[in-house]
Amino acid sequence: MIPLVAFRLSGYVRSHRIFQPLLGLLAVLSILYATGVPAGGELPSYADSAGILMLVFAWAARGLLDNEPDEQRLIAITAVGRRRELTAGLLAALGLTSLLALTAVVFPLFVGFAETPSGADLGYGAGLHLLAVLAGTALGALTSRPVLASPAASAAVLVGGYMAILLLSSASPWASVPVLDWMNAAHHDDLPQRLAVIVASALAWSAAGLAGYAAVRRVRG
Amino acid sequence: MLATKVYFRYRRGEPWVLDDASLDLSPGSVAEITGPNGTGKSTLLRLLAGLLRPVRGGITGRPPVVGYAPERFPSAQPFTVAAYLRHMGAVRRAPVPEELTARLGMDHLLGQRLSDLSKGSAHKVGLAQALAGDPGLLILDEPFAGLDAQARAELSVIVAEVAARGGIVVASDHQGDLRAVPGVTRHEVRDGKITQVALPVDDDPLTTLTIKLPQSRAAALAARLRAEGHEVS
């Protein structure tokens, strides 16, 4: 399975489609950190970064999963089996989005933060980006070509889905991936107390999204 | 490998593409799938390869290693031929043998980008990846389309070799090149059913041809002529 993950990532990078999410990432980071973040503002900045970048992660995951032609996907299925092909695609997408998230966590340490954040804030920031990676990858997979064949419908559902997540998360942390909830908690020094609910909800929604993708692929190939 | 009473359609409410279709493929068999355009030949091949699931009925006894060459090789990929075959060899855990690329006449293509290949050259890449790892089931969708004469003859030999070591070969073939392979059976897909049909009897009278060539090339030519269905003594 690892060679197939490497093949998918290699094809994505060689096709230059990686520049699309990279430009999105750099745009978000520039806006967030252009004016600098004063001491004490690191965790709220990380929470905002994770929440906003979820859309970039979804775009990247969708781009990677859609990068190879349909016939190549069929060839891969005959080579390694349906389940491994699906898992390899998701692992490649998770690898890509994790790399983008790592960049987002490290970038402000050099450009943006006035002071180096504490170990705890760095851990919370990295953890929130990990939740965004999982949720973004699930959203990207659910809008990839095997699920939504029309590129226009796929793009609309991806952006609309992200906006719906934001709106629903303002109602309750369980209503969707709790993006606004983690932003709110980080801005009010309340993240450690609400972390368990935030993590549980984000993991549950991400798992449901990935399971939905796997179910559709089981039917449509 | 046995396909039993297979029903398949792409969406609920649409007409059946395959309707109570059965096919028995024993190890070492070579099956040519024929039929008019749009009758479900490629669908049958994808069902046999495990890429589609029957709505009803079942396919049992599929060998573990499956090679699949689609009708149109997806050449819109950012790799050279060599890099693509290296990747696919790693994915299949069986490198594509150099001897195979030589036999298919594609050594000069190895440094070229997939997107720059002609249709026939791209088709060879699809065949090469499908043949890696000694597949027990080889599914070829119009394998001879666009190939030059030498590659067509060599592919017939390769198909015969796969069958000789117990592999099952199933191919749709409009060109009729597969009929040169000894022991090939022909199955027609029509109206959702699969029917075995007799191969046409050639009433052309037989003649004997004497060929003089270097001894070192005799065995290869004899094998190729046998694969094309000629008697060689």
Side-chain angles (χ1 to χ4, degrees), chain B residues 4 10 36 94 98 118 138 144 171 209:
Chain B
T4 312
Y10 283 95
E98 289 180 17
S118 68
L138 184 59
F144 297 98
L209 183 68

Side-chain angles (χ1 to χ4, degrees), chain B residues 96-130:
Chain B
V96 178
E98 289 180 17
E99 176 235 350
L100 183 63
T101 56
R103 290 178 69 181
L104 288 172
M106 53 184 291
D107 277 349
H108 65 291
L109 304 172
L110 292 174
Q112 291 190 27
R113 299 178 64 80
L114 291 176
S115 54
D116 293 339
L117 297 178
S118 68
K119 184 189 171 198
S121 297
H123 203 61
K124 290 180 181 179
V125 181
L127 292 168
Q129 65 77 27

Side-chain angles (χ1 to χ4, degrees), chain A:
Chain A
M1 189 158 58
I2 299 302
L4 187 55
V5 173
F7 176 64
R8 301 289 296 266
L9 284 169
S10 175
Y12 182 69
V13 172
R14 284 165 180 259
S15 72
H16 300 164
R17 289 183 78 173
I18 194 172
F19 287 115
Q20 295 171 9
L22 268 182
L23 288 174
L25 175 73
L26 289 176
V28 170
L29 294 180
S30 300
I31 292 166
L32 281 174
Y33 299 115
T35 56
V37 176
E42 295 87 1
L43 184 54
S45 293
Y46 270 147
D48 293 347
S49 164
I52 296 167
L53 285 175
M54 198 183 114
L55 178 61
V56 174
F57 298 156
W59 197 273
R62 170 180 170 269
L64 185 138
L65 293 170
D66 281 355
N67 194 51
E68 73 175 9
D70 291 341
E71 293 285 10
Q72 179 57 42
R73 191 170 64 247
L74 300 181
I75 289 172
I77 290 173
T78 55
V80 300
R82 191 178 297 271
R83 192 172 298 171
R84 284 185 182 169
E85 188 279 332
L86 184 143
T87 308
L90 289 177
L91 283 178
L94 283 169
L96 169 69
T97 49
S98 297
L99 200 63
L100 296 174
L102 182 66
T103 306
V105 172
V106 172
F107 180 89
L109 298 176
F110 299 97
V111 184
F113 290 163
E115 288 185 10
T116 304
S118 67
D121 283 357
L122 193 60
Y124 286 132
L128 291 178
H129 279 83
L130 181 60
L131 296 181
V133 160
L134 293 170
T137 302
L139 179 59
L142 284 170
T143 52
S144 63
R145 199 165 54 242
V147 182
L148 291 169
S150 157
S154 165
V157 171
L158 190 145
V159 176
Y162 174 71
M163 292 174 71
I165 287 171
L166 291 183
L167 285 172
L168 289 169
S169 68
S170 66
S172 157
W174 295 103
S176 76
V177 181
V179 177
L180 288 186
D181 213 50
W182 79 50
M183 287 183 179
N184 189 286
H187 279 272
H188 293 88
D189 293 327
D190 203 17
L191 188 60
Q193 288 74 30
R194 290 155 66 179
L195 191 63
V197 171
I198 287 169
V199 170
S201 172
L203 289 181
W205 279 105
S206 301
L210 293 174
Y213 172 69
V216 174
R217 286 290 312 275
R218 200 159 37 242
V219 176
R220 297 190 186 172

